[in-house]
Amino acid sequence: MKKVLFTIFAVATAMSMFAQEAAPEAAPEKESPWKFSGLVGLNASATGLWNWAAGGKNNVSGVAFGKCRLLYSENALSWETNLDLEYGLSWIDQKYDALQKSSDHLKFNTKFGWEFSKSWFLTASAAFETQMGYGLNYTGDAADDYLTSNILAPSYTDISVGIDWKPNDIFSIYLSPVSGRIATAYLSDKVNDKFSEMEGVDVRTKLQEANGTWHYDKTTNEKIYSNARAELGLNFKGSINYKYKDLTLTTALTLFTPYAWDKTKMYLYTVGEGSNVTEAEMDKLIKGGTSEEMFEYIGYRDNNRRFGNFDVDWTVGISYQFLKCLNVTLSTDLKYVNGLKIDKVITDANGVEFVESAERVQFQGVLGIGIGYSF
């Protein structure tokens, strides 16, 4: 009996050892080529005053935001898509302009690349940027508020092909020598009629003038306004997307400069109220007996859209999440667009105020504490 039991035990042990050796090892779980991350949240604040000697007004403000990133990477292919949304409103306890927009932007970009060398990709890219609602110049008097922007006024669409350097999932630099940009200043007839009646001017033309969607007629030397401007130029993009535990940092810098531009020189003809003339028109007047001293060179006949003048768009977003659902966020947006003019009230040496329209650096910063979730 003992021999039988010993034989059974020996056979069972041998079979067990054989099974362990013969059984293949479990294959490690394959990592998904897709990665999805982002940050969504709502920041809000409120101020209440009662018999407050220092002054001020009751107000409530809120900003809703979302930043999402979808990344695909497998073999030699890479595809990255980003969506950035933000919209904010403020309520102020006053008779006019009680509800005011404080922030508004919509940015979308996607790029698809093929890795031809380690960390280097041949890439096609597309991007779109605009806002989601009216932009008004709040004066404190509802009758005097005028339209400064709207969805598609302006908007910027970039389509390009270039080289992308991505040493990791955090950092990338993209350069495109072949980039097309379409800028729009479009208003529907309904919106144009509404605000034109209010302001007493054609608002569509005013926005097209401010955003540079016009060109000169070479025969009549008059401005021809349109809903869009198309350009071919050089595009540069750099971005960082970094997350460490509960801290998230995103930043992106985009530069664009067009290749072609109008090189026609313009002169101020200082007779009477003065008028702008081209170099060819000036030569005709000089040949007709007009003194050269009656002309003053004022620059090229263009809207400052020329090679070497870069449009700048730089965004930064920092978020720290605590207690699972609360976060602190800081976001900034710096812009400079050649040809986009912004009105500003200037006071001269004599104390006289006048409105000056010029290209200016635009900056927006939002610091908030609120409900948020990062993933």
Side-chain angles (χ1 to χ4, degrees):
M1 184 67 180
K2 291 182 180 179
K3 292 182 178 180
V4 173
L5 291 175
F6 178 78
T7 303
I8 294 173
F9 176 77
V11 172
T13 303
M15 291 179 63
S16 175
M17 294 177 63
F18 177 78
Q20 290 180 3
E21 292 179 358
E25 295 184 1
E29 184 178 349
K30 185 178 180 181
E31 184 178 357
S32 172
W34 295 94
K35 293 182 181 180
F36 184 54
S37 61
L39 171 68
V40 294
L42 174 65
N43 294 330
S45 66
T47 301
L49 304 173
W50 181 259
N51 295 329
W52 191 249
K57 294 181 178 180
N58 300 327
N59 64 84
V60 178
S61 63
V63 178
F65 60 91
K67 301 177 185 290
C68 301
R69 183 191 189 207
L70 180 62
L71 180 65
Y72 173 86
S73 180
E74 188 172 34
N75 299 326
L77 299 180
S78 175
W79 185 16
E80 180 180 350
T81 301
N82 293 275
L83 176 64
D84 185 358
L85 301 170
E86 183 174 289
Y87 193 84
L89 290 172
S90 295
W91 175 84
I92 305 172
D93 188 11
Q94 60 185 26
K95 185 175 181 180
Y96 298 110
D97 292 336
L99 189 64
Q100 301 182 10
K101 184 173 72 172
S102 57
S103 62
D104 181 6
H105 69 243
L106 184 159
K107 298 181 179 181
F108 172 83
N109 66 78
T110 185
K111 57 183 180 179
F112 183 83
W114 169 68
E115 188 175 21
F116 63 89
S117 182
K118 183 175 176 57
S119 301
W120 293 89
F121 294 80
L122 179 61
T123 300
S125 174
F128 175 74
E129 177 184 355
T130 188
Q131 60 187 39
M132 293 173 278
Y134 295 152
L136 301 175
N137 181 59
Y138 299 107
T139 62
D141 187 343
D144 293 334
D145 290 345
Y146 59 85
L147 187 71
T148 58
S149 59
N150 193 25
I151 184 172
L152 300 181
S155 78
Y156 303 97
T157 302
D158 294 329
I159 301 175
S160 59
V161 176
I163 302 297
D164 197 12
W165 179 57
K166 297 197 298 183
N168 49 52
D169 291 345
I170 298 173
F171 180 75
S172 73
I173 291 179
Y174 174 71
L175 178 65
S176 170
V178 183
S179 178
R181 166 165 288 191
I182 300 175
T184 69
Y186 170 78
L187 281 185
S188 66
D189 292 338
K190 181 179 179 180
V191 174
N192 184 56
D193 293 343
K194 174 184 175 181
F195 285 94
S196 296
E197 183 178 354
M198 181 187 304
E199 299 182 31
V201 298
D202 185 64
V203 175
R204 180 184 285 126
T205 301
K206 185 188 73 172
L207 292 185
Q208 291 171 347
E209 171 73 29
N211 290 285
T213 57
W214 50 266
H215 65 277
Y216 281 105
D217 184 284
K218 294 183 179 181
T219 303
T220 64
N221 199 34
E222 295 181 352
K223 286 184 178 180
I224 306 299
Y225 293 93
S226 60
N227 292 324
R229 177 187 69 239
E231 298 170 308
L232 180 67
L234 176 73
N235 199 346
F236 170 87
K237 295 180 182 180
S239 66
I240 295 175
N241 290 270
Y242 177 72
K243 184 174 182 179
Y244 176 73
K245 294 183 179 179
D246 296 325
L247 178 68
T248 302
L249 167 66
T250 61
T251 182
L253 172 66
T254 301
L255 305 175
F256 176 85
T257 183
Y259 287 132
W261 55 290
D262 190 342
K263 296 183 179 180
T264 303
K265 292 183 178 180
M266 297 296 295
Y267 293 82
L268 175 63
Y269 185 29
T270 59
V271 173
E273 297 182 356
S275 60
N276 295 339
V277 297
T278 65
E279 186 175 23
E281 292 170 334
M282 180 191 70
D283 290 340
K284 290 181 180 180
L285 291 171
I286 291 175
K287 289 179 180 179
T290 304
S291 172
E292 291 187 19
E293 297 179 354
M294 304 300 295
F295 300 93
E296 178 184 348
Y297 174 65
I298 57 176
Y300 290 100
R301 186 184 67 177
D302 70 343
N303 56 355
N304 216 17
R305 305 292 305 173
R306 54 181 178 267
F307 187 73
N309 287 0
F310 285 89
D311 295 343
V312 181
D313 188 355
W314 181 26
T315 61
V316 177
I318 302 173
S319 173
Y320 182 78
Q321 184 172 331
F322 59 98
L323 298 179
K324 295 185 178 180
C325 63
L326 300 179
N327 65 2
V328 179
T329 59
L330 170 64
S331 63
T332 64
D333 197 343
L334 184 148
K335 295 178 182 292
Y336 183 85
V337 181
N338 291 282
L340 193 158
K341 296 185 178 180
I342 301 172
D343 292 342
K344 185 177 181 180
V345 178
I346 304 296
T347 303
D348 63 17
N350 299 319
V352 178
E353 292 186 348
F354 62 96
V355 177
E356 181 184 69
S357 183
E359 299 158 340
R360 307 181 192 279
V361 174
Q362 307 169 58
F363 182 80
Q364 180 189 60
V366 178
L367 175 63
I369 300 177
I371 301 172
Y373 176 70
S374 61
F375 49 92

